[in-house]
Amino acid sequence: MKHKSILFTAASLSTVQEQYSSVQLFQQSMDQAIKEVDAQIANGIEVPIPKDLAGGYTHERHKLNYLTMQRAGKLYRVTGEEKYAVYVHDMLREYAEMFPTLDRHPSEKSYSRGKLFWQCLNDANWLVYASQAYDCIYDRLNADEKAFLETNLFRPYANFLSIETPQFFNRIHNHSTWANAGVGMIGLVMNDTVLVKRALYGLEEDGLDTAAKDNDGGSIKEEGQERAGFLAQMDLLFSPDGFYAEGPYYQRYAIYPFVVFAASLQNARPDLKIFEHRDGILSKAVYALLNLTDSNGEFYPINDAQKGMSYYSRELVSAVDIIYHFGDQNPELLSIAEKQGRVLLDVTGFSVAEAISQGKTQAFVPKSMELKDGADGSEGGLAILRMNHTGGDLNAVFKYTAQGMGHGHYDKLSYSLFENGEEVLQDYGVSRFVNIEQKNGGGYLKENKTFAKQTVAHNTVVVNQTTNYGADIDVANKRHSDRFFFDDSKKNIQIASAKDTGAYDGVRMQRTIALIADSSFAKPLLVDVFDIDSDEINTYDLPYYYFGQLLSANMVYETRATLAPMGDQFGYQHLWEVAKADKLPNQTKVTWMNNQQFYSWTASTDTSDEFLFGRIGANDPKFNLRADPMFMLRRKADHAVFASVLESHGSYSAVSELSEDAFSKVTGIDVIYQSDDYTAVQIRHEGGTLQLVLCRNDSAADQSHEITIESKKVSWTGAYDYQVM
């Protein structure tokens, strides 16, 4: 069978070769690749015996090798310069001579030890990139050269990642996505239908135990799992809206093997119509990712997520180019590509660069949206609320998803807040320094399990100082929060509400987050109503993690002369108790400053409530955790409503040393109505009153409601009512 390139069709290659020099962004990307690849060619080929963990020399060398090979292969196809093909062939030959001599990596830290790397995940990365390099020089090689590489390297490599490591290959997980893509892509290059089928549908027999776990505590094989392989990953890892179970950080990582294998299949096996699969799920996934970013293009740090990762990453460069070319050629994607400043050196990148040069670009504008979770969309979701103001924008990210497998965090009904791309109330993210060898070889730190994953590390209620589900991942994977309602149709209010009855046995929780724009305020307000029911008296802790300098607090508190942890488990052992107030006014207010902005949090409280100021970092002898500040409202009750409003206001100039609007305009928030069916709050401010009534049981958009609040009838249709009083 004649080789069909997985990167270029004959017609597309001819077009790119003839016209690339006249398309500026493509030429810029070429020039940068030539500079980097030529430098590596000049340095010579080095294929060291593997020994290091992530961040170590051998790990980084093999990573640089596969990245360079891929670019060199593409440069050969576009420019025709022989030196790039020679470099790829010589590099692959070195690997083909070494691979048969290798046992598994000497480190035993991974549940699936690799050969070139400490874990098979990185070996699969190598194969995804190396298969592209091999594809680019395939037609240049003679039969003996191909036989040597395929017999000694590629087929053994593919079998190693699949047949020899089924616990890695046959999962429903981002690890297996990389494995499926690597095996499938090299199968396409070699015209090996057995490998391609294995990649698409998984191993028929894997012998996996449903009790087995990976290094993060995630299940290797879920009970009842009947499918594996690339198509199963597409069907089961994404919700119908394109939300990925593990969150945007890992969705960014996994999107590359998804889209590059799909592009390979589209070129070599167009009969599969892979980009039409499941109503265009890969396109939806890319658009979901682009919307899961703040104003700086950085992904919201949900679940295990290193902060700072953004759509400038090489994975998103690839995703934008591939989805533009094979998808709907949406001109809004071109604005993202312009910001990225580089394109792929193949027909997809050329299509994007050419369209930009033709002036087709339109701005991509992120929107308020709800992304449902679960393969069928029934396992909760994530709400993104966005409002612009004269100085920028506010984003509230409200999480009521399923667990997110081994990379999930125990933070049901948590939320975080961003202003102009800066965190106001943060999600801690992951306790890990990726590829920094001094920090556990670049792997996950133990504090990721003891703090970052725990409920108390997030802006959500903790019951009796224990973590959701008792921090039992098996229980967590079987439960999820439930969406109640979402409405982004009005200019003056963006609102979402969700419930959870499984995080704590016998505890029923509903949280509603709303951004409200009112002419009395320069910026939108964030209103937070957390309604909790239980048949027993519990201790409810509601922490908030902020950044910046505390300016004022209106309660009488006592600072601790000697710091002590807030507790001894479930993350509390990592929180220093800095100060405490054990008697609160009926309105509690805290104001702080960050990034020359003022923020005030006002809450309805009771004299029996407690308030704690804390800081992360207790029981952390290796300083693995950031020393970020937080405060916590504590209440003992069976039924409780935590009602608060967060106000962004004013500014400070360090040059003029003047502050503007440094004081909050909100004078209070009150719970003015409470029943089994409804909760109502009023926000009082210097210019008037805002009123929000929330349904607790009926979220139907067409259902009529009427209640009496302070002798006044309030009537409305739908799940909530908002009025300016």
PDB file of all heavy atoms in Angstrom, residues 76 82 85-86 88-90 92-94 96-97 134 137-155 190:
ATOM      1  N   TYR A  76      12.108  19.897   6.327  1.00  0.00           N
ATOM      2  CA  TYR A  76      12.523  19.155   5.134  1.00  0.00           C
ATOM      3  C   TYR A  76      11.399  19.119   4.103  1.00  0.00           C
ATOM      4  O   TYR A  76      11.623  19.367   2.910  1.00  0.00           O
ATOM      5  CB  TYR A  76      12.928  17.733   5.513  1.00  0.00           C
ATOM      6  CG  TYR A  76      13.082  16.832   4.310  1.00  0.00           C
ATOM      7  CD1 TYR A  76      14.096  17.037   3.375  1.00  0.00           C
ATOM      8  CD2 TYR A  76      12.183  15.781   4.097  1.00  0.00           C
ATOM      9  CE1 TYR A  76      14.211  16.227   2.253  1.00  0.00           C
ATOM     10  CE2 TYR A  76      12.296  14.965   2.988  1.00  0.00           C
ATOM     11  CZ  TYR A  76      13.315  15.193   2.062  1.00  0.00           C
ATOM     12  OH  TYR A  76      13.428  14.399   0.945  1.00  0.00           O
ATOM     13  N   GLU A  82      18.098  18.922   2.318  1.00  0.00           N
ATOM     14  CA  GLU A  82      18.460  17.558   2.662  1.00  0.00           C
ATOM     15  C   GLU A  82      18.970  17.419   4.096  1.00  0.00           C
ATOM     16  O   GLU A  82      18.780  16.390   4.742  1.00  0.00           O
ATOM     17  CB  GLU A  82      19.523  17.064   1.679  1.00  0.00           C
ATOM     18  CG  GLU A  82      19.797  15.572   1.750  1.00  0.00           C
ATOM     19  CD  GLU A  82      18.674  14.730   1.150  1.00  0.00           C
ATOM     20  OE1 GLU A  82      17.731  15.307   0.562  1.00  0.00           O
ATOM     21  OE2 GLU A  82      18.735  13.502   1.285  1.00  0.00           O
ATOM     22  N   ALA A  85      16.382  16.174   6.631  1.00  0.00           N
ATOM     23  CA  ALA A  85      16.043  14.753   6.533  1.00  0.00           C
ATOM     24  C   ALA A  85      17.164  13.888   7.084  1.00  0.00           C
ATOM     25  O   ALA A  85      16.916  12.884   7.772  1.00  0.00           O
ATOM     26  CB  ALA A  85      15.750  14.389   5.083  1.00  0.00           C
ATOM     27  N   VAL A  86      18.408  14.255   6.775  1.00  0.00           N
ATOM     28  CA  VAL A  86      19.569  13.499   7.279  1.00  0.00           C
ATOM     29  C   VAL A  86      19.581  13.526   8.803  1.00  0.00           C
ATOM     30  O   VAL A  86      19.822  12.507   9.461  1.00  0.00           O
ATOM     31  CB  VAL A  86      20.873  14.084   6.711  1.00  0.00           C
ATOM     32  CG1 VAL A  86      22.085  13.447   7.394  1.00  0.00           C
ATOM     33  CG2 VAL A  86      20.936  13.869   5.204  1.00  0.00           C
ATOM     34  N   VAL A  88      17.037  13.947  10.901  1.00  0.00           N
ATOM     35  CA  VAL A  88      15.962  13.104  11.438  1.00  0.00           C
ATOM     36  C   VAL A  88      16.328  11.629  11.324  1.00  0.00           C
ATOM     37  O   VAL A  88      16.192  10.867  12.299  1.00  0.00           O
ATOM     38  CB  VAL A  88      14.629  13.383  10.704  1.00  0.00           C
ATOM     39  CG1 VAL A  88      13.569  12.357  11.118  1.00  0.00           C
ATOM     40  CG2 VAL A  88      14.136  14.792  11.001  1.00  0.00           C
ATOM     41  N   HIS A  89      16.800  11.211  10.162  1.00  0.00           N
ATOM     42  CA  HIS A  89      17.146   9.802   9.985  1.00  0.00           C
ATOM     43  C   HIS A  89      18.257   9.373  10.933  1.00  0.00           C
ATOM     44  O   HIS A  89      18.184   8.306  11.570  1.00  0.00           O
ATOM     45  CB  HIS A  89      17.561   9.515   8.545  1.00  0.00           C
ATOM     46  CG  HIS A  89      18.058   8.121   8.352  1.00  0.00           C
ATOM     47  ND1 HIS A  89      19.393   7.808   8.179  1.00  0.00           N
ATOM     48  CD2 HIS A  89      17.401   6.922   8.348  1.00  0.00           C
ATOM     49  CE1 HIS A  89      19.534   6.508   8.063  1.00  0.00           C
ATOM     50  NE2 HIS A  89      18.340   5.947   8.160  1.00  0.00           N
ATOM     51  N   ASP A  90      19.282  10.191  11.038  1.00  0.00           N
ATOM     52  CA  ASP A  90      20.410   9.833  11.909  1.00  0.00           C
ATOM     53  C   ASP A  90      19.972   9.759  13.366  1.00  0.00           C
ATOM     54  O   ASP A  90      20.422   8.882  14.117  1.00  0.00           O
ATOM     55  CB  ASP A  90      21.542  10.839  11.737  1.00  0.00           C
ATOM     56  CG  ASP A  90      22.225  10.728  10.381  1.00  0.00           C
ATOM     57  OD1 ASP A  90      21.924   9.760   9.650  1.00  0.00           O
ATOM     58  OD2 ASP A  90      23.045  11.609  10.057  1.00  0.00           O
ATOM     59  N   LEU A  92      16.882   9.076  14.475  1.00  0.00           N
ATOM     60  CA  LEU A  92      16.048   7.887  14.637  1.00  0.00           C
ATOM     61  C   LEU A  92      16.889   6.617  14.629  1.00  0.00           C
ATOM     62  O   LEU A  92      16.598   5.662  15.366  1.00  0.00           O
ATOM     63  CB  LEU A  92      14.989   7.829  13.531  1.00  0.00           C
ATOM     64  CG  LEU A  92      13.862   8.868  13.624  1.00  0.00           C
ATOM     65  CD1 LEU A  92      12.954   8.778  12.409  1.00  0.00           C
ATOM     66  CD2 LEU A  92      13.061   8.691  14.911  1.00  0.00           C
ATOM     67  N   ARG A  93      17.929   6.592  13.834  1.00  0.00           N
ATOM     68  CA  ARG A  93      18.795   5.414  13.802  1.00  0.00           C
ATOM     69  C   ARG A  93      19.494   5.217  15.151  1.00  0.00           C
ATOM     70  O   ARG A  93      19.644   4.091  15.627  1.00  0.00           O
ATOM     71  CB  ARG A  93      19.814   5.528  12.670  1.00  0.00           C
ATOM     72  CG  ARG A  93      20.592   4.230  12.462  1.00  0.00           C
ATOM     73  CD  ARG A  93      21.436   4.236  11.211  1.00  0.00           C
ATOM     74  NE  ARG A  93      22.077   2.933  11.052  1.00  0.00           N
ATOM     75  CZ  ARG A  93      21.543   1.899  10.429  1.00  0.00           C
ATOM     76  NH1 ARG A  93      20.345   2.023   9.870  1.00  0.00           N
ATOM     77  NH2 ARG A  93      22.175   0.741  10.342  1.00  0.00           N
ATOM     78  N   GLU A  94      19.916   6.326  15.767  1.00  0.00           N
ATOM     79  CA  GLU A  94      20.527   6.234  17.105  1.00  0.00           C
ATOM     80  C   GLU A  94      19.540   5.611  18.093  1.00  0.00           C
ATOM     81  O   GLU A  94      19.902   4.759  18.913  1.00  0.00           O
ATOM     82  CB  GLU A  94      20.944   7.620  17.580  1.00  0.00           C
ATOM     83  CG  GLU A  94      22.105   8.225  16.822  1.00  0.00           C
ATOM     84  CD  GLU A  94      23.455   7.751  17.333  1.00  0.00           C
ATOM     85  OE1 GLU A  94      23.503   7.122  18.406  1.00  0.00           O
ATOM     86  OE2 GLU A  94      24.462   7.995  16.650  1.00  0.00           O
ATOM     87  N   ALA A  96      17.019   3.690  17.317  1.00  0.00           N
ATOM     88  CA  ALA A  96      16.761   2.300  16.922  1.00  0.00           C
ATOM     89  C   ALA A  96      17.868   1.370  17.400  1.00  0.00           C
ATOM     90  O   ALA A  96      17.625   0.194  17.679  1.00  0.00           O
ATOM     91  CB  ALA A  96      16.606   2.207  15.406  1.00  0.00           C
ATOM     92  N   GLU A  97      19.073   1.876  17.500  1.00  0.00           N
ATOM     93  CA  GLU A  97      20.183   1.062  18.002  1.00  0.00           C
ATOM     94  C   GLU A  97      20.130   0.924  19.518  1.00  0.00           C
ATOM     95  O   GLU A  97      20.529  -0.102  20.076  1.00  0.00           O
ATOM     96  CB  GLU A  97      21.510   1.678  17.561  1.00  0.00           C
ATOM     97  CG  GLU A  97      21.753   1.556  16.057  1.00  0.00           C
ATOM     98  CD  GLU A  97      22.989   2.311  15.604  1.00  0.00           C
ATOM     99  OE1 GLU A  97      23.567   3.070  16.419  1.00  0.00           O
ATOM    100  OE2 GLU A  97      23.368   2.171  14.419  1.00  0.00           O
ATOM    101  N   TYR A 134       9.159  10.896  11.274  1.00  0.00           N
ATOM    102  CA  TYR A 134       9.338   9.746  10.380  1.00  0.00           C
ATOM    103  C   TYR A 134       8.454   9.895   9.147  1.00  0.00           C
ATOM    104  O   TYR A 134       8.879   9.598   8.016  1.00  0.00           O
ATOM    105  CB  TYR A 134       9.015   8.465  11.138  1.00  0.00           C
ATOM    106  CG  TYR A 134       9.287   7.190  10.365  1.00  0.00           C
ATOM    107  CD1 TYR A 134      10.476   7.009   9.666  1.00  0.00           C
ATOM    108  CD2 TYR A 134       8.351   6.159  10.352  1.00  0.00           C
ATOM    109  CE1 TYR A 134      10.728   5.831   8.968  1.00  0.00           C
ATOM    110  CE2 TYR A 134       8.596   4.980   9.665  1.00  0.00           C
ATOM    111  CZ  TYR A 134       9.782   4.830   8.968  1.00  0.00           C
ATOM    112  OH  TYR A 134      10.032   3.661   8.273  1.00  0.00           O
ATOM    113  N   ILE A 137      10.049  12.078   6.406  1.00  0.00           N
ATOM    114  CA  ILE A 137      11.191  11.574   5.625  1.00  0.00           C
ATOM    115  C   ILE A 137      10.925  10.191   5.052  1.00  0.00           C
ATOM    116  O   ILE A 137      11.800   9.606   4.408  1.00  0.00           O
ATOM    117  CB  ILE A 137      12.479  11.540   6.485  1.00  0.00           C
ATOM    118  CG1 ILE A 137      12.383  10.475   7.598  1.00  0.00           C
ATOM    119  CG2 ILE A 137      12.787  12.916   7.078  1.00  0.00           C
ATOM    120  CD1 ILE A 137      13.720  10.163   8.259  1.00  0.00           C
ATOM    121  N   TYR A 138       9.735   9.667   5.254  1.00  0.00           N
ATOM    122  CA  TYR A 138       9.428   8.282   4.885  1.00  0.00           C
ATOM    123  C   TYR A 138       9.726   7.998   3.417  1.00  0.00           C
ATOM    124  O   TYR A 138      10.374   7.004   3.073  1.00  0.00           O
ATOM    125  CB  TYR A 138       7.960   7.990   5.191  1.00  0.00           C
ATOM    126  CG  TYR A 138       7.558   6.544   5.013  1.00  0.00           C
ATOM    127  CD1 TYR A 138       7.643   5.639   6.067  1.00  0.00           C
ATOM    128  CD2 TYR A 138       7.074   6.077   3.785  1.00  0.00           C
ATOM    129  CE1 TYR A 138       7.261   4.313   5.911  1.00  0.00           C
ATOM    130  CE2 TYR A 138       6.696   4.758   3.626  1.00  0.00           C
ATOM    131  CZ  TYR A 138       6.794   3.881   4.683  1.00  0.00           C
ATOM    132  OH  TYR A 138       6.422   2.571   4.516  1.00  0.00           O
ATOM    133  N   ASP A 139       9.258   8.859   2.532  1.00  0.00           N
ATOM    134  CA  ASP A 139       9.419   8.613   1.094  1.00  0.00           C
ATOM    135  C   ASP A 139      10.861   8.760   0.634  1.00  0.00           C
ATOM    136  O   ASP A 139      11.201   8.353  -0.488  1.00  0.00           O
ATOM    137  CB  ASP A 139       8.523   9.561   0.304  1.00  0.00           C
ATOM    138  CG  ASP A 139       7.044   9.217   0.468  1.00  0.00           C
ATOM    139  OD1 ASP A 139       6.732   8.041   0.706  1.00  0.00           O
ATOM    140  OD2 ASP A 139       6.208  10.143   0.395  1.00  0.00           O
ATOM    141  N   ARG A 140      11.705   9.348   1.455  1.00  0.00           N
ATOM    142  CA  ARG A 140      13.117   9.524   1.104  1.00  0.00           C
ATOM    143  C   ARG A 140      13.937   8.273   1.421  1.00  0.00           C
ATOM    144  O   ARG A 140      15.006   8.052   0.855  1.00  0.00           O
ATOM    145  CB  ARG A 140      13.679  10.723   1.872  1.00  0.00           C
ATOM    146  CG  ARG A 140      15.165  10.987   1.653  1.00  0.00           C
ATOM    147  CD  ARG A 140      15.661  12.044   2.623  1.00  0.00           C
ATOM    148  NE  ARG A 140      17.109  12.221   2.536  1.00  0.00           N
ATOM    149  CZ  ARG A 140      18.013  11.439   3.131  1.00  0.00           C
ATOM    150  NH1 ARG A 140      17.604  10.392   3.851  1.00  0.00           N
ATOM    151  NH2 ARG A 140      19.301  11.673   3.003  1.00  0.00           N
ATOM    152  N   LEU A 141      13.455   7.431   2.347  1.00  0.00           N
ATOM    153  CA  LEU A 141      14.222   6.285   2.816  1.00  0.00           C
ATOM    154  C   LEU A 141      14.045   5.083   1.893  1.00  0.00           C
ATOM    155  O   LEU A 141      12.986   4.888   1.299  1.00  0.00           O
ATOM    156  CB  LEU A 141      13.785   5.912   4.236  1.00  0.00           C
ATOM    157  CG  LEU A 141      13.892   7.016   5.298  1.00  0.00           C
ATOM    158  CD1 LEU A 141      13.405   6.492   6.639  1.00  0.00           C
ATOM    159  CD2 LEU A 141      15.319   7.541   5.407  1.00  0.00           C
ATOM    160  N   ASN A 142      15.102   4.261   1.821  1.00  0.00           N
ATOM    161  CA  ASN A 142      14.989   3.023   1.058  1.00  0.00           C
ATOM    162  C   ASN A 142      14.393   1.927   1.937  1.00  0.00           C
ATOM    163  O   ASN A 142      14.197   2.108   3.150  1.00  0.00           O
ATOM    164  CB  ASN A 142      16.334   2.613   0.457  1.00  0.00           C
ATOM    165  CG  ASN A 142      17.382   2.331   1.529  1.00  0.00           C
ATOM    166  OD1 ASN A 142      17.098   1.708   2.549  1.00  0.00           O
ATOM    167  ND2 ASN A 142      18.623   2.773   1.291  1.00  0.00           N
ATOM    168  N   ALA A 143      14.122   0.799   1.364  1.00  0.00           N
ATOM    169  CA  ALA A 143      13.443  -0.290   2.070  1.00  0.00           C
ATOM    170  C   ALA A 143      14.229  -0.774   3.273  1.00  0.00           C
ATOM    171  O   ALA A 143      13.659  -1.075   4.330  1.00  0.00           O
ATOM    172  CB  ALA A 143      13.175  -1.446   1.107  1.00  0.00           C
ATOM    173  N   ASP A 144      15.549  -0.883   3.136  1.00  0.00           N
ATOM    174  CA  ASP A 144      16.375  -1.361   4.247  1.00  0.00           C
ATOM    175  C   ASP A 144      16.356  -0.379   5.417  1.00  0.00           C
ATOM    176  O   ASP A 144      16.305  -0.785   6.586  1.00  0.00           O
ATOM    177  CB  ASP A 144      17.808  -1.589   3.776  1.00  0.00           C
ATOM    178  CG  ASP A 144      17.940  -2.797   2.860  1.00  0.00           C
ATOM    179  OD1 ASP A 144      17.022  -3.652   2.882  1.00  0.00           O
ATOM    180  OD2 ASP A 144      18.938  -2.875   2.129  1.00  0.00           O
ATOM    181  N   GLU A 145      16.408   0.901   5.109  1.00  0.00           N
ATOM    182  CA  GLU A 145      16.402   1.912   6.169  1.00  0.00           C
ATOM    183  C   GLU A 145      15.077   1.887   6.927  1.00  0.00           C
ATOM    184  O   GLU A 145      15.041   1.965   8.166  1.00  0.00           O
ATOM    185  CB  GLU A 145      16.650   3.294   5.561  1.00  0.00           C
ATOM    186  CG  GLU A 145      18.078   3.490   5.061  1.00  0.00           C
ATOM    187  CD  GLU A 145      18.244   4.759   4.254  1.00  0.00           C
ATOM    188  OE1 GLU A 145      17.282   5.158   3.540  1.00  0.00           O
ATOM    189  OE2 GLU A 145      19.335   5.360   4.323  1.00  0.00           O
ATOM    190  N   LYS A 146      13.987   1.754   6.179  1.00  0.00           N
ATOM    191  CA  LYS A 146      12.679   1.676   6.830  1.00  0.00           C
ATOM    192  C   LYS A 146      12.576   0.419   7.687  1.00  0.00           C
ATOM    193  O   LYS A 146      12.084   0.466   8.826  1.00  0.00           O
ATOM    194  CB  LYS A 146      11.571   1.682   5.784  1.00  0.00           C
ATOM    195  CG  LYS A 146      11.440   2.980   5.004  1.00  0.00           C
ATOM    196  CD  LYS A 146      10.418   2.815   3.879  1.00  0.00           C
ATOM    197  CE  LYS A 146      10.390   4.044   2.988  1.00  0.00           C
ATOM    198  NZ  LYS A 146       9.523   3.857   1.800  1.00  0.00           N
ATOM    199  N   ALA A 147      13.028  -0.696   7.159  1.00  0.00           N
ATOM    200  CA  ALA A 147      12.937  -1.962   7.891  1.00  0.00           C
ATOM    201  C   ALA A 147      13.716  -1.897   9.196  1.00  0.00           C
ATOM    202  O   ALA A 147      13.261  -2.399  10.233  1.00  0.00           O
ATOM    203  CB  ALA A 147      13.437  -3.106   7.018  1.00  0.00           C
ATOM    204  N   PHE A 148      14.900  -1.270   9.138  1.00  0.00           N
ATOM    205  CA  PHE A 148      15.721  -1.172  10.353  1.00  0.00           C
ATOM    206  C   PHE A 148      15.002  -0.349  11.422  1.00  0.00           C
ATOM    207  O   PHE A 148      14.933  -0.757  12.597  1.00  0.00           O
ATOM    208  CB  PHE A 148      17.079  -0.540  10.021  1.00  0.00           C
ATOM    209  CG  PHE A 148      17.988  -0.438  11.214  1.00  0.00           C
ATOM    210  CD1 PHE A 148      18.704  -1.541  11.647  1.00  0.00           C
ATOM    211  CD2 PHE A 148      18.113   0.752  11.916  1.00  0.00           C
ATOM    212  CE1 PHE A 148      19.543  -1.463  12.754  1.00  0.00           C
ATOM    213  CE2 PHE A 148      18.933   0.844  13.028  1.00  0.00           C
ATOM    214  CZ  PHE A 148      19.655  -0.269  13.443  1.00  0.00           C
ATOM    215  N   LEU A 149      14.465   0.789  11.043  1.00  0.00           N
ATOM    216  CA  LEU A 149      13.788   1.652  12.012  1.00  0.00           C
ATOM    217  C   LEU A 149      12.512   1.008  12.543  1.00  0.00           C
ATOM    218  O   LEU A 149      12.223   1.075  13.749  1.00  0.00           O
ATOM    219  CB  LEU A 149      13.455   3.000  11.367  1.00  0.00           C
ATOM    220  CG  LEU A 149      14.646   3.887  10.979  1.00  0.00           C
ATOM    221  CD1 LEU A 149      14.152   5.166  10.314  1.00  0.00           C
ATOM    222  CD2 LEU A 149      15.503   4.229  12.192  1.00  0.00           C
ATOM    223  N   GLU A 150      11.766   0.367  11.680  1.00  0.00           N
ATOM    224  CA  GLU A 150      10.484  -0.187  12.104  1.00  0.00           C
ATOM    225  C   GLU A 150      10.644  -1.461  12.920  1.00  0.00           C
ATOM    226  O   GLU A 150       9.892  -1.706  13.863  1.00  0.00           O
ATOM    227  CB  GLU A 150       9.600  -0.424  10.873  1.00  0.00           C
ATOM    228  CG  GLU A 150       9.222   0.889  10.193  1.00  0.00           C
ATOM    229  CD  GLU A 150       8.407   0.712   8.933  1.00  0.00           C
ATOM    230  OE1 GLU A 150       7.959  -0.433   8.661  1.00  0.00           O
ATOM    231  OE2 GLU A 150       8.204   1.702   8.201  1.00  0.00           O
ATOM    232  N   THR A 151      11.649  -2.264  12.575  1.00  0.00           N
ATOM    233  CA  THR A 151      11.876  -3.526  13.290  1.00  0.00           C
ATOM    234  C   THR A 151      12.496  -3.297  14.659  1.00  0.00           C
ATOM    235  O   THR A 151      12.134  -3.965  15.641  1.00  0.00           O
ATOM    236  CB  THR A 151      12.781  -4.454  12.465  1.00  0.00           C
ATOM    237  OG1 THR A 151      12.159  -4.706  11.208  1.00  0.00           O
ATOM    238  CG2 THR A 151      13.022  -5.769  13.194  1.00  0.00           C
ATOM    239  N   ASN A 152      13.414  -2.363  14.749  1.00  0.00           N
ATOM    240  CA  ASN A 152      14.155  -2.160  15.991  1.00  0.00           C
ATOM    241  C   ASN A 152      13.592  -1.067  16.887  1.00  0.00           C
ATOM    242  O   ASN A 152      13.879  -1.051  18.081  1.00  0.00           O
ATOM    243  CB  ASN A 152      15.615  -1.826  15.670  1.00  0.00           C
ATOM    244  CG  ASN A 152      16.355  -2.993  15.063  1.00  0.00           C
ATOM    245  OD1 ASN A 152      16.770  -3.916  15.751  1.00  0.00           O
ATOM    246  ND2 ASN A 152      16.508  -2.965  13.732  1.00  0.00           N
ATOM    247  N   LEU A 153      12.799  -0.167  16.311  1.00  0.00           N
ATOM    248  CA  LEU A 153      12.325   0.973  17.093  1.00  0.00           C
ATOM    249  C   LEU A 153      10.801   1.080  17.117  1.00  0.00           C
ATOM    250  O   LEU A 153      10.183   0.913  18.172  1.00  0.00           O
ATOM    251  CB  LEU A 153      12.926   2.269  16.536  1.00  0.00           C
ATOM    252  CG  LEU A 153      12.499   3.572  17.228  1.00  0.00           C
ATOM    253  CD1 LEU A 153      12.914   3.570  18.695  1.00  0.00           C
ATOM    254  CD2 LEU A 153      13.090   4.784  16.497  1.00  0.00           C
ATOM    255  N   PHE A 154      10.187   1.325  15.981  1.00  0.00           N
ATOM    256  CA  PHE A 154       8.802   1.763  16.002  1.00  0.00           C
ATOM    257  C   PHE A 154       7.801   0.676  16.394  1.00  0.00           C
ATOM    258  O   PHE A 154       6.919   0.917  17.223  1.00  0.00           O
ATOM    259  CB  PHE A 154       8.427   2.385  14.658  1.00  0.00           C
ATOM    260  CG  PHE A 154       9.056   3.733  14.442  1.00  0.00           C
ATOM    261  CD1 PHE A 154       9.831   3.990  13.322  1.00  0.00           C
ATOM    262  CD2 PHE A 154       8.894   4.749  15.377  1.00  0.00           C
ATOM    263  CE1 PHE A 154      10.413   5.236  13.131  1.00  0.00           C
ATOM    264  CE2 PHE A 154       9.476   5.997  15.198  1.00  0.00           C
ATOM    265  CZ  PHE A 154      10.238   6.239  14.072  1.00  0.00           C
ATOM    266  N   ARG A 155       7.920  -0.527  15.829  1.00  0.00           N
ATOM    267  CA  ARG A 155       6.967  -1.566  16.227  1.00  0.00           C
ATOM    268  C   ARG A 155       7.194  -2.014  17.674  1.00  0.00           C
ATOM    269  O   ARG A 155       6.225  -2.155  18.437  1.00  0.00           O
ATOM    270  CB  ARG A 155       7.023  -2.743  15.254  1.00  0.00           C
ATOM    271  CG  ARG A 155       6.264  -2.466  13.968  1.00  0.00           C
ATOM    272  CD  ARG A 155       5.906  -3.725  13.183  1.00  0.00           C
ATOM    273  NE  ARG A 155       5.014  -3.378  12.085  1.00  0.00           N
ATOM    274  CZ  ARG A 155       5.407  -2.915  10.905  1.00  0.00           C
ATOM    275  NH1 ARG A 155       6.712  -2.772  10.668  1.00  0.00           N
ATOM    276  NH2 ARG A 155       4.528  -2.594   9.973  1.00  0.00           N
ATOM    277  N   MET A 190       3.324   3.682   8.907  1.00  0.00           N
ATOM    278  CA  MET A 190       3.836   2.388   8.437  1.00  0.00           C
ATOM    279  C   MET A 190       2.772   1.582   7.693  1.00  0.00           C
ATOM    280  O   MET A 190       3.031   0.445   7.301  1.00  0.00           O
ATOM    281  CB  MET A 190       4.361   1.579   9.627  1.00  0.00           C
ATOM    282  CG  MET A 190       5.504   2.234  10.377  1.00  0.00           C
ATOM    283  SD  MET A 190       6.262   1.165  11.640  1.00  0.00           S
ATOM    284  CE  MET A 190       4.869   0.785  12.703  1.00  0.00           C
TER     285      MET A 190
END
